[in-house]
């Protein structure tokens, strides 16, 4: 007896179709799964056996062979439980309907026959839509899959319910969601930036960084407000579009970090601890999973106490910062995850934290300061567009009587600058100044006269690299966009140059 059920598996943030072929024949009782299954797939036989019996159906006593095709691609996860169980019941004649060919089936089974939710549903729904198939999945995943238009999604809660539905004795209405509802009820963003007292210079740097999606490094003593400022950056970033929300949700769905959410409508803010490994930051594992850089896609990745991160961990940031994607290669598979994020870092100026502070004396020797800063390589610092000093807040700024500019007001200026950039780069895959190529820098960041002389002087005196030079031009272009200026003027270049703090600070 033979049955075939269409399912799917994950590769990166995308899903690909998998044909689950089940053969129930004579012979000594056995249950074997072939087609490069991982341990979670191999263990499905025990869950399937118990779920079928506890749902009131007979389980075959002969030889059962399950093949997962294509056989040369690694399969992982518990989403094959349901299609395997359906294939066994179909092979026994307990599912009589021929409509099974119209469905993609996936879900994890409990021992009592209930169907548990699985990860990666949004990606599977995209694949089903492309193949013009309907979906049978856990009822808890119904709304997530229904975000993809053009596909009928049927959520089921148990194995008997699914059998009754396929046999036509039970009717289930397709799941449907109103995407606009999630955007109208958008998740509350970060706290307001006006709650941070003083630090007007740092707030200006954050505004410029947000307007052009530039990477930012804040340098200051402990307690100066670096973390408070970083956690409020999301409140001034532009709202996510539907495409961005779906792509971000796909990453979190694959990683299993949706935590009950259906659609992520607020830009992610990820703040990993400095003890994180390179695999945790970039992604990896025996079966590659998204890391923090991918979970921060379309949002903010905040690295506090930057020099405390291991050097090899920081160096692997180069590819995602430059390319907006991260590729993880293993012996059997190579996957690519999106990682277009705004990198925000914070650090002390020295090991004790008080170098240059007016109130507390620094106890570090020049050698200690050099050793501390040498943990950050030149190539990494070059990839951070803006270096900003965040000094100690004066007492007069802490009285609470003067309230700073609200996030909403800054966000309007950021949105206006982003609109200029979208129009400028229309028809390309670039949406912000920070992603400009060399050709686009030459086209949109042309400087002459006083600007050119100012840049030449800065290059000679500060010893800037060629990459730092292009960063200055990109930041200058963003500052000009914030003012609505078509040309980059000398004061735009001057402001961009003073955002290279670590390039000009003596160590």
């Amino acid at each position: 007896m033979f049955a075939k059920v269409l399912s799917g598996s994950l590769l990166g943030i995308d899903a690909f179709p998998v044909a689950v072929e089940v053969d129930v024949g004579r012979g000594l009782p056995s249950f074997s799964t072939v087609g490069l299954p991982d341990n979670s797939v191999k263990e499905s036989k025990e869950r399937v056996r118990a779920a079928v019996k506890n749902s009131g159906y007979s389980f075959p006593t002969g030889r059962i062979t399950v093949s997962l095709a294509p056989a040369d691609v690694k399969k992982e996860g518990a989403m094959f439980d349901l299609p395997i169980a359906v294939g066994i019941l179909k092979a026994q004649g307990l599912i009589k309907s021929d409509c099974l060919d119209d469905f993609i089936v996936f879900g994890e089974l409990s021992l009592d026959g209930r169907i548990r939710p699985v990860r990666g549903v949004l990606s599977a729904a995209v694949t089903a839509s492309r193949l013009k198939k309907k979906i049978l999945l856990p009822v808890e995943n119904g709304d997530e899959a229904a975000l993809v238009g053009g596909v009928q999604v049927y959520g089921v809660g148990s194995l008997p319910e699914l059998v009754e539905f396929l046999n036509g004795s039970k009717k289930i209405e397709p799941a449907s969601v109103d995407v606009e509802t999630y955007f109208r009820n958008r998740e509350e963003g970060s706290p307001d930036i006006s709650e941070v007292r003083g630090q007007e210079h740092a707030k200006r740097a954050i505004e410029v960084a947000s307007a052009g999606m530039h990477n930012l490094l804040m340098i200051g003593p402990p307690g100066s407000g670096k973390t408070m400022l970083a956690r409020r950056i999301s409140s001034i970033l532009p709202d996510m579009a539907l495409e961005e929300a779906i792509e971000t949700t796909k990453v979190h769905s694959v990683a299993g970090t949706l935590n009950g959410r259906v659609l992520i409508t607020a830009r992610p803010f990820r703040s990993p601890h400095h003890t994180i490994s390179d695999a945790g930051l970039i992604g990896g594992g025996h079966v590659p999973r998204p890391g923090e850089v991918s979970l921060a896609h379309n949002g903010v990745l905040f690295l506090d106490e930057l020099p405390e991160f291991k050097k090899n961990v920081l160096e692997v940031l180069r590819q995602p910062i430059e390319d907006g994607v991260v590729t993880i290669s293993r012996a059997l598979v190579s996957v690519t995850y999106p990682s277009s994020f705004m990198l925000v870092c914070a650090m002390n100026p020295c090991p004790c934290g008080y170098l240059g502070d007016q109130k507390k004396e620094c106890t570090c020797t020049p050698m200690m300061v050099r050793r501390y800063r040498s943990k950050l390589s030149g190539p990494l610092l070059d990839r951070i567009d803006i270096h900003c000093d965040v000094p100690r807040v004066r007492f007069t700024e802490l009285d609470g009587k003067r309230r700073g500019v609200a996030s909403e007001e800054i966000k309007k200026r950021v949105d206006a600058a982003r609109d200029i950039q979208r129009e400028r780069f229309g028809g390309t895959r670039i949406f912000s100044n920070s992603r400009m190529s060399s050709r686009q820098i030459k086209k949109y960041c042309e400087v002459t006269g006083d600007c050119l002389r100012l840049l030449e002087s800065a290059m000679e005196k500060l010893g800037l690299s060629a990459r730092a030079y292009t960063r200055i031009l990109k930041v200058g272009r963003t500052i000009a966009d914030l003012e609505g200026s078509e040309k980059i003027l000398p004061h735009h270049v001057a402001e961009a140059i003073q955002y290279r703090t670590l390039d000009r600070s003596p160590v």
Side-chain angles (χ1 to χ4, degrees), residues 190-204 206 218 223-233 235-236 390-394 397-407 410:
S190 304
D192 200 279
I193 202 167
S194 63
E195 297 168 358
V196 180
R197 304 301 178 189
Q199 303 297 6
E200 299 305 320
H201 173 67
K203 290 178 183 178
R204 169 63 178 177
I206 286 173
M218 293 182 285
S224 59
K226 301 185 296 294
T227 303
M228 283 187 69
L229 286 165
R231 293 189 177 279
R232 284 154 177 79
I233 289 177
S235 66
I236 65 174
V390 186
R392 176 193 297 273
V393 182
R394 295 191 298 271
E397 297 173 322
L398 294 173
D399 58 8
K401 296 177 182 178
R402 293 178 56 192
R403 189 172 180 84
V405 179
S407 293
I410 299 176

Side-chain angles (χ1 to χ4, degrees), residues 190 210 213 230-235 237 267-272 292-293 295-303 340-345:
S190 304
S210 301
M213 208 64 177
R231 293 189 177 279
R232 284 154 177 79
I233 289 177
S234 297
S235 66
L237 291 175
R267 295 193 179 274
F269 180 89
R270 305 292 299 186
S271 180
E292 290 292 332
V293 297
L295 296 174
H297 181 56
N298 290 323
V300 176
L301 176 67
F302 178 50
L303 303 183
S340 179
F341 56 87
M342 178 179 170
L343 176 65
V344 179
C345 309

Side-chain angles (χ1 to χ4, degrees), residues 152 173 208 397:
Q152 294 185 38
E173 293 296 327
V208 173
E397 297 173 322

Side-chain angles (χ1 to χ4, degrees), residues 150-184:
V151 59
Q152 294 185 38
V153 179
Y154 295 90
V156 287
S158 65
L159 188 58
E161 182 182 356
L162 182 145
V163 173
E164 291 173 9
F165 170 70
L166 291 176
N167 286 334
S169 59
K170 182 179 180 64
K171 187 175 181 180
I172 299 177
E173 293 296 327
S176 62
V177 296
D178 181 9
V179 176
E180 294 301 323
T181 301
Y182 293 105
F183 280 93
R184 284 195 298 269

Side-chain angles (χ1 to χ4, degrees), residues 117-361:
V118 293
R119 59 186 180 84
V121 166
L122 192 55
S123 301
V126 172
T127 299
S129 178
R130 187 180 72 249
L131 298 175
K132 294 180 171 54
K133 298 286 187 180
K134 304 172 186 177
I135 303 182
L136 274 170
L137 45 58
V139 66
E140 289 92 340
N141 292 133
D143 287 349
E144 182 186 340
L147 291 171
V148 179
V151 59
Q152 294 185 38
V153 179
Y154 295 90
V156 287
S158 65
L159 188 58
E161 182 182 356
L162 182 145
V163 173
E164 291 173 9
F165 170 70
L166 291 176
N167 286 334
S169 59
K170 182 179 180 64
K171 187 175 181 180
I172 299 177
E173 293 296 327
S176 62
V177 296
D178 181 9
V179 176
E180 294 301 323
T181 301
Y182 293 105
F183 280 93
R184 284 195 298 269
N185 301 328
R186 191 182 296 270
E187 304 163 39
E188 288 296 325
S190 304
D192 200 279
I193 202 167
S194 63
E195 297 168 358
V196 180
R197 304 301 178 189
Q199 303 297 6
E200 299 305 320
H201 173 67
K203 290 178 183 178
R204 169 63 178 177
I206 286 173
E207 179 180 340
V208 173
S210 301
M213 208 64 177
H214 299 288
N215 299 322
L216 171 69
L217 171 61
M218 293 182 285
I219 307 140
S224 59
K226 301 185 296 294
T227 303
M228 283 187 69
L229 286 165
R231 293 189 177 279
R232 284 154 177 79
I233 289 177
S234 297
S235 66
I236 65 174
L237 291 175
D239 295 333
M240 281 213 291
L242 178 59
E243 278 187 21
E244 291 179 305
I246 288 180
E247 190 173 35
T248 303
T249 305
K250 282 173 68 175
V251 175
H252 285 260
S253 178
V254 168
T257 57
L258 281 178
N259 300 324
R261 294 172 294 180
V262 174
L263 182 68
I264 295 177
T265 56
R267 295 193 179 274
F269 180 89
R270 305 292 299 186
S271 180
H273 193 260
H274 61 77
T275 56
I276 193 171
S277 66
D278 52 354
L281 187 65
I282 297 298
H286 181 63
V287 178
R289 293 283 182 88
E292 290 292 332
V293 297
S294 297
L295 296 174
H297 181 56
N298 290 323
V300 176
L301 176 67
F302 178 50
L303 303 183
D304 200 4
E305 304 296 342
L306 186 64
E308 300 301 326
F309 285 79
K310 297 175 184 176
K311 194 161 188 175
N312 66 303
V313 173
L314 294 179
E315 292 307 307
V316 296
L317 281 172
R318 293 189 194 180
Q319 185 204 5
I321 290 176
E322 283 290 313
D323 303 334
V325 295
V326 59
T327 301
I328 304 168
S329 297
R330 294 292 181 266
L332 295 176
V333 66
S334 178
V335 299
T336 299
Y337 293 112
S339 58
S340 179
F341 56 87
M342 178 179 170
L343 176 65
V344 179
C345 309
M347 63 177 283
N348 296 331
C350 64
C352 77
Y354 296 105
L355 179 66
D357 190 83
Q358 297 179 354
K359 300 294 183 182
K360 287 194 176 183
E361 182 179 355

